[in-house]
Amino acid sequence: MVESVSPAGPEASESTADENEDDIQFVSEGPSRPVLEYIDLVCGDEEPTTYHSDILFPKMPKRQGDFLRFLNVKKLKTESNNRNKNHCGLPKLKESHFKYVEKPVIEEKPSCSSKEEIDNLVLPDCWNEKQAFMFTEQYKWLEIKEGKLGCKDCSTVRHLGSKAEKHVHVSKEWIAYLVTPNGSNKTTRQASLRKKIKEHDISKAHGKIQDLLKESTNDSISNIGDKQNNKNIDATVKVFNVVYSLVKHNRPLSDIEGAIELQEKNGEVNCLNTRYSATRIAEHIAKEMKMKIFKNIIEENAKICVIIDEASTVSKKSTLVIYLQCTAQSVPAPVMLFVALKELVSTTAECIVSTLLSTLNDYGFTNEYLKANLIAFCSDGANTMLGRKSGVATKMLENFPEIIIWNCLNHRLQLSLDDSISEIKHVNHFKIFIDKIYSIYHQSNKNQNKLLEPVAKDLEIEIVKIGRVMGPRWAACSLQAATAVWCAYPILYLHFSHSYSGLANRLANINFLQDLALMIDILEEFSLLSTALQSRSTNIQKAQKLIKRTIRALENLKIGTGKHESQIEGLIKSDKFKDIPFNKNKKFKALPRNLLLENIIQHMNLRLLSDRQYEESIFNYFDLLEPSTWPYEEITSPWVAGEKKLFHLCELLKYEIDLKDFREFVSNNIKSNNVSIPTTIQKAKKIVGTIAINSAEAERGFNLMNIICTRVRNSLTVDHISDLMTINLLGKELADWDAIPFVKSWSNCNHRLATDTRVRQKSSKAFYENQLAIWNLK
């Protein structure tokens, strides 16, 4: 049988490289001349001096002008021979031989065979088009990109999976198309490429990749790495569960060594038993979580709001925490998602904006996506964040001019209280006195433990830790501190009467007790509002209603008396307060009650309802989606004034509300209150809920950061802290979490499984002979 012919590849050209750099040699493995002579005799060839070997394998001159033309000539000559064969009437047995003669002729177009495709390629500087064609034909896995070589098969599979062996790795250069020639002249560089191609072709790793491709002929390439041994997968899943549990419970990753030691005691074999492996696993889990979640958000084209805040770690590094609030069709309410914790090189607005945008881009939120879907930006009121001239918000508006800038309502609430306190000196004196009590018991545990607790036990009063009031914390913290003084009032007087007579006289003044009751009533209203604003279910319209309700409650308090104020007469007559000689000392003046409440109401209106000029107009646009705010006496169908605002609302939300749906929505609400809401109106209401009203979630993120990065674990990098926070904030509970997809992606990234033997054996702990000897006693 006549054998098929194929180019010999780079080895053949090595022998003639010195003679001519552009020559392309072929080594003929085709039929021998006697066989071809026998074919000529059978066919009755009229020109016996012309051999088929001359036709099929002509001698190429040293300077071949056009390699492609040579192939076409060869094909035409072979076709003419086929006509002669048919004419001579060979038997069927002989025809089968001629099919093999035709096989070397190139009939199909490979990826680089056409002159047009070769012309478009950037070739290595030591190759011409003919050489590129020859090598890509000889080695089907070879590809050329931007003048560099790569392996198509290795780039597709990328890892060995279950076929991994010790010291056998897939070349990263061949995967990433980074193979380039070495040498100072053309001949040396050509020889270098030939050697690299040949070595990769016969390498063990490349051979295993070929085996994996053959095994996956009936499966997709992406599932090659999933065909792992079940025992290996199960063992690695147990390690992943241990790491996940440690992260969820904020335990150091070094605890994995003890957990794995217990598994090995129970018969499990594991090589991923160090804190370094645990760190890599945590990084992988966090990365996979973010990729999956953010990919779904981007594919759904969801509207987003960015929330950021800046703080320092225990190691004094400035960090930026980034959150996203977004809407999704599959969930009824907006979802708050942790994005990343990033270290800041500096705390300037330019650095913060650059870090923010680069982080979002890394996770797939391109500038084009942000321009189409970013609708709001929220942060606290620091000058760096919301400065009107060069703050972060101003620079964000330069890049995305149509977004809504929102100042955190909880910070604005605290600022309104601070503004009122700063204007009334009597309130400041009250604050100083409470801070004095705080400093006495905060700085010395002895004062609280040895002096207060015995008295508290006798009076059956529980001691609550006394903190600061009206400091840089939110209103709930101030309420807790004031309530602690209220509850411990008799105990404090008894203690001060022995050690601090001045403080005791202040507590014996009935005006101070009345002031304390008034401040607790005010702080209770602030605390209720602050807690409600921090709720994840509170949107911008509900927050507006809550603020107005709190202002009405303070107005009612101005007219009447509060809950704690009404209890004063009863407390003075009670047994707990019987030892306190209350009096009205003119030296300690009472707070100007009405003036204080009037100031607080005024500053709440300024800070919370009209802090920004455009906020009032924004609320007017959002009211189009809330029928309870409509002026029904002015509305006719169609509502012309409402439809004019609708256009601006669509620009704010970057979402088109169907005019037909809006008219139907208005008509139905004029006729009845309980009506179905059209689809586009529902989607618009969800987008409005995407706008974050505070940065409370960022504060919670910093609280978690402080739990993770303690003084004992201060060697954690910011990136590692970010990974641990990702698992904590985005991950499911351990009982609901499935580790198998993460283990498979771990294997697909060419990481080792738990049963891999290509690791250094763990050194056993030293156990002294004296410790062992005690167990040998009889």
Side-chain angles (χ1 to χ4, degrees):
M1 182 178 292
V2 181
E3 297 293 332
S4 62
V5 181
S6 61
E11 294 77 37
S13 57
E14 280 185 353
S15 60
T16 59
D18 295 334
E19 296 177 12
N20 194 320
E21 295 170 354
D22 296 330
D23 286 352
I24 301 178
Q25 301 291 332
F26 284 85
V27 176
S28 173
E29 297 179 357
S32 62
R33 188 173 296 273
V35 175
L36 296 174
E37 288 177 344
Y38 169 75
I39 295 173
D40 291 337
L41 292 173
V42 174
C43 293
D45 198 344
E46 296 178 357
E47 296 180 25
T49 57
T50 303
Y51 295 96
H52 283 77
S53 60
D54 295 331
I55 297 174
L56 293 175
F57 309 103
K59 294 181 180 179
M60 293 179 59
K62 288 188 176 181
R63 294 291 178 182
Q64 178 64 42
D66 190 345
F67 182 69
L68 296 176
R69 186 171 59 191
F70 158 70
L71 290 176
N72 292 331
V73 170
K74 182 175 68 172
K75 183 175 179 180
L76 290 173
K77 289 184 179 182
T78 307
E79 289 175 354
S80 65
N81 289 335
N82 289 338
R83 287 194 295 269
N84 293 333
K85 296 164 195 171
N86 294 333
H87 178 73
C88 70
L90 272 177
K92 291 183 179 180
L93 180 62
K94 301 296 181 182
E95 290 177 359
S96 61
H97 292 261
F98 284 98
K99 292 178 181 177
Y100 288 95
V101 173
E102 294 175 1
K103 192 171 182 179
V105 180
I106 300 172
E107 296 179 356
E108 297 180 358
K109 286 186 178 181
S111 58
C112 294
S113 63
S114 67
K115 187 171 180 17
E116 293 78 7
E117 292 182 4
I118 293 176
D119 290 340
N120 294 331
L121 285 176
V122 179
L123 302 177
D125 55 5
C126 60
W127 277 6
N128 55 28
E129 295 175 2
K130 303 173 189 178
Q131 291 167 316
F133 175 81
M134 184 196 71
F135 283 114
T136 53
E137 279 300 295
Q138 174 68 15
Y139 302 100
K140 299 296 184 182
W141 49 264
L142 182 65
E143 279 190 337
I144 305 171
K145 289 185 180 179
E146 299 180 357
K148 300 178 182 180
L149 305 185
C151 179
K152 176 171 53 179
D153 296 342
C154 293
S155 178
T156 302
V157 181
R158 303 182 72 87
H159 62 92
L160 297 177
S162 59
K163 293 187 177 293
E165 292 182 9
K166 194 171 184 178
H167 304 307
V168 178
H169 303 283
V170 183
S171 171
K172 295 180 181 179
E173 289 75 13
W174 282 104
I175 290 175
Y177 293 84
L178 298 175
V179 178
T180 55
N182 298 327
S184 58
N185 55 62
K186 189 173 183 180
T187 302
T188 309
R189 294 170 71 82
Q190 286 178 338
S192 171
L193 281 186
R194 289 197 298 271
K195 182 179 179 182
K196 290 181 179 182
I197 294 171
K198 182 64 176 179
E199 287 179 349
H200 182 70
D201 187 53
I202 64 175
S203 67
K204 200 169 184 178
H206 182 73
K208 290 180 178 293
I209 291 290
Q210 300 296 324
D211 294 340
L212 284 172
L213 288 171
K214 291 177 183 177
E215 292 175 4
S216 63
T217 51
N218 297 326
D219 201 355
S220 62
I221 295 297
S222 60
N223 293 329
I224 294 176
D226 295 346
K227 298 186 178 299
Q228 307 290 345
N229 187 287
N230 289 334
K231 181 180 178 181
N232 299 344
I233 293 292
D234 293 341
T236 311
V237 164
K238 293 177 181 178
V239 179
F240 271 60
N241 286 334
V242 171
V243 174
Y244 192 84
S245 177
L246 291 176
V247 176
K248 272 292 187 179
H249 291 89
N250 297 316
R251 296 297 306 160
L253 293 180
S254 57
D255 288 359
I256 192 176
E257 297 177 5
I260 298 302
E261 186 178 354
L262 177 61
Q263 288 188 2
E264 291 175 350
K265 181 70 175 176
N266 293 332
E268 295 289 340
V269 178
N270 204 313
C271 74
L272 303 174
N273 49 22
T274 65
R275 61 187 178 94
Y276 304 103
S277 300
T279 303
R280 299 289 86 77
I281 291 172
E283 288 176 358
H284 178 77
I285 294 173
K287 179 182 177 182
E288 291 294 314
M289 280 183 176
K290 289 180 180 178
M291 285 177 60
K292 183 177 180 181
I293 293 173
F294 296 148
K295 181 181 178 183
N296 293 337
I297 292 173
I298 294 170
E299 288 178 351
E300 197 170 314
N301 210 32
K303 307 298 178 185
I304 60 174
C305 170
V306 174
I307 305 99
I308 65 171
D309 202 355
E310 184 266 334
S312 298
T313 65
V314 69
S315 53
K316 307 302 181 184
K317 291 182 178 179
S318 297
T319 56
L320 181 72
V321 66
I322 306 171
Y323 277 81
L324 285 183
Q325 184 156 280
C326 65
T327 56
Q329 295 180 358
S330 57
V331 290
V335 181
M336 183 73 73
L337 298 172
F338 171 76
V339 179
L341 181 73
K342 288 292 181 180
E343 184 176 352
L344 292 173
V345 179
S346 69
T347 55
T348 61
E350 292 81 3
C351 181
I352 292 175
V353 172
S354 175
T355 304
L356 171 62
L357 295 180
S358 63
T359 302
L360 293 175
N361 290 337
D362 290 342
Y363 292 116
F365 297 97
T366 62
N367 289 337
E368 291 74 18
Y369 182 91
L370 294 175
K371 287 179 181 178
N373 295 285
L374 178 61
I375 61 171
F377 170 83
C378 178
S379 184
D380 61 12
N383 289 334
T384 305
M385 295 295 180
L386 298 180
R388 297 180 184 273
K389 292 184 178 180
S390 59
V392 174
T394 303
K395 295 189 178 300
M396 288 291 289
L397 282 172
E398 293 175 0
N399 295 321
F400 313 102
E402 296 179 357
I403 63 173
I404 299 170
I405 303 298
W406 196 260
N407 187 354
C408 172
L409 286 179
N410 288 89
H411 286 90
R412 287 155 67 175
L413 177 65
Q414 184 64 39
L415 288 173
S416 65
L417 183 60
D418 293 342
D419 291 343
S420 303
I421 292 170
S422 63
E423 293 180 3
I424 300 177
K425 295 181 180 180
H426 297 293
V427 179
N428 196 37
H429 293 162
F430 173 82
K431 177 180 179 297
I432 292 172
F433 177 74
I434 299 296
D435 287 347
K436 179 66 175 177
I437 299 176
Y438 161 79
S439 63
I440 291 173
Y441 295 105
H442 178 73
Q443 293 175 2
S444 174
N445 292 331
K446 176 183 175 182
N447 287 335
Q448 180 161 330
N449 296 336
K450 293 188 177 181
L451 300 177
L452 284 185
E453 288 185 1
V455 183
K457 186 176 182 180
D458 294 339
L459 296 177
E460 297 180 352
I461 297 175
E462 182 181 358
I463 292 292
V464 181
K465 186 175 181 180
I466 300 172
R468 294 183 181 275
V469 294
M470 304 171 196
R473 305 292 296 278
W474 289 352
C477 301
S478 298
L479 174 64
Q480 184 179 3
T483 306
V485 175
W486 176 267
C487 294
Y489 203 95
I491 308 168
L492 292 171
Y493 177 80
L494 291 177
H495 182 213
F496 290 155
S497 61
H498 296 95
S499 305
Y500 305 92
S501 58
L503 295 177
N505 292 335
R506 187 67 180 265
L507 290 175
N509 188 355
I510 195 171
N511 289 336
F512 178 79
L513 184 61
Q514 291 173 346
D515 293 346
L516 180 62
L518 173 63
M519 291 305 301
I520 291 176
D521 289 332
I522 293 173
L523 289 173
E524 273 190 345
E525 294 296 335
F526 271 74
S527 179
L528 287 173
L529 177 59
S530 178
T531 305
L533 293 177
Q534 293 177 52
S535 174
R536 292 185 175 95
S537 62
T538 304
N539 59 24
I540 194 169
Q541 292 167 311
K542 184 179 178 181
Q544 193 79 345
K545 295 177 182 178
L546 292 172
I547 292 168
K548 291 179 179 179
R549 187 180 68 184
T550 301
I551 291 174
R552 288 195 299 269
L554 292 174
E555 289 174 346
N556 294 334
L557 181 62
K558 180 182 175 183
I559 298 171
T561 57
K563 181 179 70 173
H564 288 80
E565 285 181 306
S566 60
Q567 297 176 8
I568 291 177
E569 292 184 5
L571 285 174
I572 294 175
K573 298 177 181 178
S574 66
D575 293 336
K576 293 180 180 179
F577 284 74
K578 65 181 180 180
D579 296 329
I580 304 176
F582 283 104
N583 59 79
K584 285 192 176 182
N585 191 339
K586 295 182 180 179
K587 183 179 179 181
F588 303 111
K589 295 182 180 180
L591 291 174
R593 187 176 184 277
N594 292 338
L595 179 61
L596 175 62
L597 289 170
E598 184 64 34
N599 264 11
I600 291 174
I601 293 170
Q602 180 181 353
H603 284 292
M604 285 187 68
N605 280 303
L606 290 174
R607 287 281 186 182
L608 300 175
L609 297 181
S610 59
D611 189 36
R612 302 277 182 179
Q613 295 180 355
Y614 59 82
E615 285 185 9
E616 186 176 354
S617 61
I618 289 175
F619 282 116
N620 289 334
Y621 295 137
F622 291 162
D623 286 344
L624 292 176
L625 306 176
E626 290 294 331
S628 59
T629 63
W630 292 352
Y632 283 96
E633 64 278 0
E634 302 175 4
I635 296 177
T636 58
S637 185
W639 185 14
V640 179
E643 291 178 3
K644 290 180 179 178
K645 293 181 180 179
L646 184 65
F647 173 76
H648 296 288
L649 177 62
C650 293
E651 286 185 338
L652 282 174
L653 301 182
K654 298 180 181 179
Y655 174 72
E656 192 68 29
I657 300 175
D658 190 3
L659 181 60
K660 181 181 178 182
D661 286 350
F662 180 73
R663 288 182 175 179
E664 181 183 350
F665 182 56
V666 172
S667 300
N668 292 340
N669 277 280
I670 292 175
K671 296 176 183 177
S672 175
N673 291 329
N674 299 323
V675 295
S676 60
I677 303 176
T679 305
T680 56
I681 301 295
Q682 288 180 357
K683 181 70 180 294
K685 290 170 74 71
K686 287 179 68 175
I687 295 175
V688 171
T690 304
I691 303 172
I693 61 170
N694 57 56
S695 59
E697 207 68 37
E699 297 286 348
R700 295 187 187 106
F702 283 129
N703 184 43
L704 176 60
M705 179 191 72
N706 292 329
I707 293 173
I708 293 172
C709 186
T710 61
R711 295 191 180 276
V712 180
R713 304 175 69 190
N714 60 1
S715 60
L716 285 170
T717 66
V718 174
D719 289 337
H720 287 157
I721 298 172
S722 179
D723 293 333
L724 300 180
M725 290 176 66
T726 298
I727 298 174
N728 249 295
L729 297 171
L730 300 182
K732 299 178 181 178
E733 293 300 322
L734 180 61
D736 302 325
W737 185 65
D738 183 13
I740 293 178
F742 296 90
V743 173
K744 290 182 176 180
S745 61
W746 169 269
S747 176
N748 290 346
C749 294
N750 209 18
H751 293 300
R752 293 173 181 173
L753 298 178
T755 54
D756 200 322
T757 58
R758 299 173 297 161
V759 293
R760 186 184 306 167
Q761 293 297 323
K762 183 175 66 172
S763 59
S764 58
K765 294 181 180 179
F767 205 70
Y768 297 107
E769 293 182 1
N770 290 339
Q771 293 174 295
L772 289 172
I774 195 172
W775 294 101
N776 297 326
L777 294 176
K778 296 183 180 179

